Structures are given as structure tokens and as C-alpha cells.
Amino acid sequence: MINLIPLDKKVEVICTQNPVQLSAKRQDEIEEFWVDINKDGKFYRGEAFDIESVTEEKDKYKIQLNITDYAHHLHTIRNHISDEERCRTIFSAGLVETSDSKFIIGEMASDTAYPGKLQCAGGGLSNKDLDGDYFDLKKSVLRETKEELAIDEEEHVEQCQPVLMKDVHIHDSLVVLYHLKVNLSVKEFQENYQRYVDELKSYNEVPEFKSIVFIENNKEAVYSFCNKDDRSRDDYLEPFLKYMVK
């Protein structure tokens, strides 16, 4: 059972610059897995970051990350690895709310790590999110929101606030959850998003979301969605939505 906690402390995420050390056996397993799963070249083996340690201090959570790659991350997910050589990640995700009070989530496309899953815009940390040795989680969620929903920080975002995170004392991998208010109505968002999708298609690319889901920001609509929509969804999604309308 997932446990989300209100974020009343700073989250400090540090890159140690140290590579993850894996056994030869696990490295071979990852290489074999990657060759098999990426036969058509749909995945990119970029950088990823593995949680080395999590420390709760009086005024902050201090999280240290070592460097690994996407193959290690995806191997852990797809094979449900739970041993000491698993990849433990931290990522940020943003629940977007339109100017006419609709939450926006998406259903992940087939060529993603989580095909068919409903989730907020978001994703793993990148070198683009680094400021020295420190990761900027807000920068990460804004970057992902632009990449996945075509929502631009300067043009569209009025508010971006951290709200919740997975309980660091319970969960293996962590997520910091943001609430983003934008100056677009549902209609305006749809028009802007369709232009983005058309642009991607002109480059023979596809959006990360197979479909977009709108949920009214009220308790009745959120509970109805949670009870009636039987699609797979990220474990944080239901408690996050319910927290936002409690």
C-alpha cells in the first residue's frame, strides 16, 4: 500500500557522480535483456540515477544518487527485481489543472516504459536537471510537462508547487508530486496539444501519451474516476487525486 506524505520539508537531491557497481552476472543479465527488448530501437539507453541513500533531517530530506543507465532501470521494472542490485529511482510528476478546473492525466503509449498506464506528466531525472551536483526537481517536472503535454513554463504555467511525496521510510523508489495551475482552458489545451502532436508526427515521432484524460476538480468526479476507470494507473495517482479534493 502506497503512503504519500505532505511535503513540509525541502527535498535535496545530490548526484554523487559515482557509477553504480553491479556484479558481472547482473551486468550480463541487463545486456541480454536490453538486446531483446530493444530489437526495434524504440528505447534510448540514456543516463539514469539510482538512490544510494535517503536521510531525513530536521528541515530536509537528503537523497544521494549514483549514476546508472536506462537499461538498468527498465530491467528492474520489467523483471520486478527486488534484490540489492535493483535500480531505485526518484522522479517528479505534476498534476496539471486547467483554468476551468480540470485535472489532466495521460495514458502512456505502447513505446514507453509503462504502456497503457495512467499517470501524471513526469519522469526520471536527467543531467539537464543538474545545477552543479544538485538536482532541481521543479525544473525536472516542468521539463517533463513540456515534453509530454506541450505546456510551457513561461507561456502557460501560473503555479508549480510540491504537494506530496512517497514516504521515504517505506518505499523503495520515490516520487515528488507537484500541482501545476495553467492559464489554459480544456479547449485551449486541446488545441495547443494537437498542434504539438501534429508537429511530432511531421518528424515521424509519437507523443508519450496515447490519450489524455480530464477529471473535474471536485470530490464526486475524482471518486467516480477512481471507482469506474479500470485502466492500469500509477500507484500514486489515486491517493494524489483524492488528496487534492479532500
Side-chain angles (χ1 to χ4, degrees):
M1 183 71 176
I2 185 173
N3 186 40
L4 299 178
I5 56 176
L7 202 51
D8 55 3
K9 297 182 181 183
K10 177 182 177 182
V11 180
E12 184 179 84
V13 185
I14 305 166
C15 182
T16 66
Q17 303 297 339
N18 297 324
V20 168
Q21 300 297 319
L22 297 173
S23 66
K25 180 176 182 294
R26 180 53 50 84
Q27 290 177 21
D28 289 343
E29 290 172 355
I30 292 171
E31 293 302 323
E32 183 178 348
F33 164 82
W34 184 255
V35 169
D36 181 62
I37 201 169
N38 204 36
K39 290 175 182 176
D40 55 3
K42 65 182 179 180
F43 295 118
Y44 170 65
R45 193 169 181 171
E47 79 280 349
F49 300 92
D50 176 63
I51 296 173
E52 166 68 21
S53 64
V54 179
T55 307
E56 182 177 3
E57 300 180 3
K58 183 177 180 180
D59 60 342
K60 65 184 178 183
Y61 297 102
K62 184 176 179 180
I63 302 169
Q64 294 191 319
L65 308 181
N66 292 333
I67 300 170
T68 186
D69 67 14
Y70 188 68
H72 182 203
H73 167 66
L74 196 59
H75 177 263
T76 295
I77 293 170
R78 294 292 178 88
N79 294 283
H80 308 288
I81 305 296
S82 60
D83 61 27
E84 291 184 358
E85 293 189 305
R86 68 198 182 282
C87 184
R88 300 175 61 211
T89 58
I90 177 171
F91 65 98
S92 55
L95 181 61
V96 174
E97 183 178 354
T98 63
S99 60
D100 47 354
S101 301
K102 301 288 196 305
F103 293 134
I104 301 175
I105 62 173
E107 179 183 358
M108 297 299 287
S110 59
D111 289 347
T112 63
Y114 305 96
K117 182 169 283 189
L118 295 173
Q119 61 181 57
C120 297
L125 299 176
S126 163
N127 284 323
K128 298 175 184 177
D129 306 319
L130 277 172
D131 182 6
D133 290 333
Y134 292 84
F135 285 100
D136 186 333
L137 293 177
K138 182 177 179 180
K139 181 179 179 180
S140 176
V141 76
L142 288 167
R143 173 178 55 77
E144 292 283 352
T145 302
K146 184 172 185 178
E147 291 176 2
E148 296 179 3
L149 295 175
I151 290 174
D152 182 78
E153 177 184 3
E154 294 186 4
E155 188 176 354
H156 303 129
V157 178
E158 296 181 337
Q159 174 185 307
C160 179
Q161 295 292 334
V163 180
L164 300 168
M165 73 178 293
K166 282 187 177 181
D167 190 336
V168 298
H169 302 295
I170 297 175
H171 298 291
D172 218 22
S173 293
L174 302 178
V175 58
V176 177
L177 300 169
Y178 286 77
H179 178 213
L180 285 77
K181 285 192 172 183
V182 298
N183 59 13
L184 299 169
S185 66
V186 167
K187 184 175 183 294
E188 290 168 333
F189 166 79
Q190 289 174 316
E191 292 171 348
N192 184 67
Y193 183 70
Q194 188 58 53
R195 286 192 294 269
Y196 173 64
V197 171
D198 291 342
E199 182 181 359
L200 287 177
K201 289 180 178 178
S202 72
Y203 294 106
N204 293 317
E205 298 178 10
V206 295
E208 290 203 40
F209 287 133
K210 173 184 175 181
S211 64
I212 301 297
V213 179
F214 301 98
I215 307 168
E216 290 187 26
N217 181 0
N218 65 64
K219 193 170 185 178
E220 181 180 358
V222 165
Y223 276 72
S224 176
F225 162 77
C226 293
N227 292 332
K228 295 180 180 179
D229 195 307
D230 60 1
R231 285 174 288 183
S232 170
R233 51 184 178 248
D234 208 306
D235 59 0
Y236 67 75
L237 186 58
E238 181 173 340
F240 188 17
L241 286 168
K242 289 181 177 179
Y243 180 87
M244 293 301 297
V245 296
K246 68 177 184 178

